């Protein structure tokens, strides 16, 4: 059996391996293909494609877009839309992602101010000095604070000081799901709902979400996923059948930022079969 991984992050977003290192790592783990799906950036894709040239592995150009879904008038939730086989050079896509990065940058500056004001050993200049021009996410905040000895673990940071309902969090303007799916389609890609069970929606809320996303052009859902437990995969596969969606699968590999995961092999010995590539054609 040959295996793939359709959800991988590089250090161009919140992973810790370069695109070139990911190609070698995927080969070392005997994968035949992987998709580089960095958060809100496609800067890594060309580098990975170049590194994979004339080597026995395929790199699927991808992206993971952060979108804000309106659950109810009182509640909004960040969801992620994966885009596969995109034209990562499309000017409209790249320009939209630059605007997203600027909005994220403004948020990050404010969060640094909040944390610094509360006594945490962090400021924006030190954060960017540590991680360079990468797309900074809360994972970078957590890693920086861990290296400074200010927190016991990355997981603890997300549960306490970096939580969305925490005292230091700063919201930002996200793409809407309609905007995100439209961008992926304009880039010739296939939009897929990432890790649907991580949002902690009720069954009714999940049905409402998928119904809305289908209207915008959603064609797939991530059923095989590292954080699945028990009957989770079977439940998502049923959602796929009920809503006429194809399925994808991936580890959500981030390197040292999610040290319990390996590329191509997630929790519970998750392995994604190569046959799922047919869904992306």
């Amino acid at each position: 059996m040959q295996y793939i991984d359709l959800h991988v992050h590089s250090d161009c977003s919140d992973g810790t391996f370069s695109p070139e290192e990911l190609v070698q790592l995927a080969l070392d783990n005997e994968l035949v293909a992987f998709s580089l799906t960095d958060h809100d950036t496609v800067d890594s894709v060309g580098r990975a494609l170049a590194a994979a040239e004339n080597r026995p592995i395929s790199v699927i150009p991808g992206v993971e877009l952060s979108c804000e879904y309106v659950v109810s008038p009182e509640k909004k939730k960040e969801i992620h839309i994966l885009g596969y086989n995109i034209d990562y050079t499309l000017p409209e896509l790249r320009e939209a992602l630059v605007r997203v990065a600027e909005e994220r940058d403004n948020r990050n500056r404010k969060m640094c101010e909040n944390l610094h004001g509360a006594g945490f050993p962090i400021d924006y200049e030190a954060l960017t000095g540590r991680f360079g021009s990468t797309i900074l996410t809360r994972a970078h905040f957590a890693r920086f604070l861990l290296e400074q000895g200010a927190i016991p673990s990355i997981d603890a940071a997300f549960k306490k000081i970096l939580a969305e309902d925490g005292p230091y969090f700063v919201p930002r303007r996200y793409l809407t799901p309609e905007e995100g799916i439209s961008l992926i389609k304009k880039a010739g890609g296939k939009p897929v709902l990432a890790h649907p069970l991580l949002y902690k929606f009720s069954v009714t809320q999940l049905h409402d979400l998928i119904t809305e996303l289908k209207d915008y052009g959603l064609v797939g859902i991530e059923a095989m996923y590292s954080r699945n437990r028990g009957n989770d995969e079977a439940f998502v596969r049923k959602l796929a059948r009920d809503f006429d969606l194809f399925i994808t699968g991936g580890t959500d590999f981030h390197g040292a930022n999610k040290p319990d995961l390996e590329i191509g092999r997630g929790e519970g010995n998750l392995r994604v079969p190569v046959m799922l590539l047919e869904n992306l054609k």
Side-chain angles (χ1 to χ4, degrees):
M1 175 73 77
Q2 294 180 314
Y3 296 102
I4 60 176
D5 194 336
L6 298 179
H7 196 156
V8 174
H9 296 277
S10 80
D11 62 1
C12 290
S13 66
D14 57 348
T16 58
F17 287 89
S18 71
E20 294 81 6
E21 289 171 332
L22 286 174
V23 170
Q24 186 59 55
L25 194 61
L27 285 166
D28 291 344
N29 282 272
E30 301 181 336
L31 299 183
V32 296
F34 74 95
S35 185
L36 194 42
T37 54
D38 276 325
H39 292 284
D40 302 322
T41 181
V42 291
D43 290 347
S44 56
V45 175
R47 291 169 56 187
L49 287 169
E53 193 171 353
N54 299 320
R55 305 181 79 183
I57 191 164
S58 297
V59 174
I60 299 151
V63 70
E64 185 173 11
L65 299 181
S66 305
C67 302
E68 187 173 77
Y69 171 64
V70 178
V71 183
S72 69
E74 301 79 27
K75 181 180 180 181
K76 297 178 181 179
K77 183 76 175 180
E78 180 181 342
I79 65 167
H80 293 171
I81 308 294
L82 294 157
Y84 292 111
N85 276 328
I86 57 171
D87 175 4
Y88 68 97
T89 68
L90 183 73
E92 187 173 347
L93 173 65
R94 299 186 73 91
E95 290 164 7
L97 294 181
V98 166
R99 292 192 295 272
V100 168
E102 290 172 348
E103 178 68 26
R104 189 193 295 268
D105 185 59
N106 291 334
R107 187 279 300 271
N108 289 340
R109 288 178 181 272
K110 293 173 183 174
M111 279 188 64
C112 278
E113 291 173 5
N114 289 350
L115 288 163
H116 185 75
F120 288 95
I122 190 171
D123 60 62
Y124 185 76
E125 288 69 28
L127 188 66
T128 54
R130 167 65 178 83
F131 295 109
S133 59
T134 237
I135 299 292
L136 292 173
T137 69
R138 284 181 291 165
H140 294 97
F141 280 76
R143 189 163 185 82
F144 185 90
L145 291 170
L146 182 65
E147 291 172 353
Q148 299 299 310
I151 56 172
S153 69
I154 288 176
D155 186 56
F158 273 93
K159 288 181 177 178
K160 297 180 180 179
I161 63 173
L162 298 177
E164 290 184 19
D165 57 354
Y168 314 115
F169 181 78
V170 176
R172 65 182 177 90
R173 195 267 177 188
Y174 288 85
L175 294 170
T176 67
E178 184 174 13
E179 289 171 334
I181 289 174
S182 176
L183 276 174
I184 291 167
K185 291 173 65 179
K186 286 176 181 176
K190 293 183 178 292
V192 170
L193 178 62
H195 41 62
L197 301 187
L198 287 194
Y199 310 125
K200 306 298 182 184
F201 288 156
S202 68
V203 174
T204 298
Q205 288 172 331
L206 259 180
H207 283 204
D208 290 344
L209 168 65
I210 296 171
T211 298
E212 181 174 332
L213 299 187
K214 279 269 293 184
D215 287 343
Y216 302 143
L218 188 79
V219 294
I221 191 167
E222 190 173 43
M224 302 182 72
Y225 185 68
S226 291
R227 304 303 190 198
N228 283 348
R229 297 289 184 273
N231 295 321
D232 286 352
E233 183 181 322
F235 175 74
V236 180
R237 283 178 177 270
K238 184 177 186 307
L239 285 174
R241 292 192 299 271
D242 291 345
F243 287 90
D244 192 26
L245 301 170
F246 64 70
I247 67 164
T248 65
T251 60
D252 205 358
F253 179 73
H254 283 69
N257 285 335
K258 290 187 178 181
D260 55 328
L261 302 177
E262 297 179 40
I263 192 169
R265 191 187 300 272
E267 288 186 12
N269 202 31
L270 171 74
R271 303 301 300 274
V272 180
V274 68
M275 65 187 69
L276 290 193
L277 281 182
E278 292 297 317
N279 293 334
L280 305 184
K281 294 181 179 178

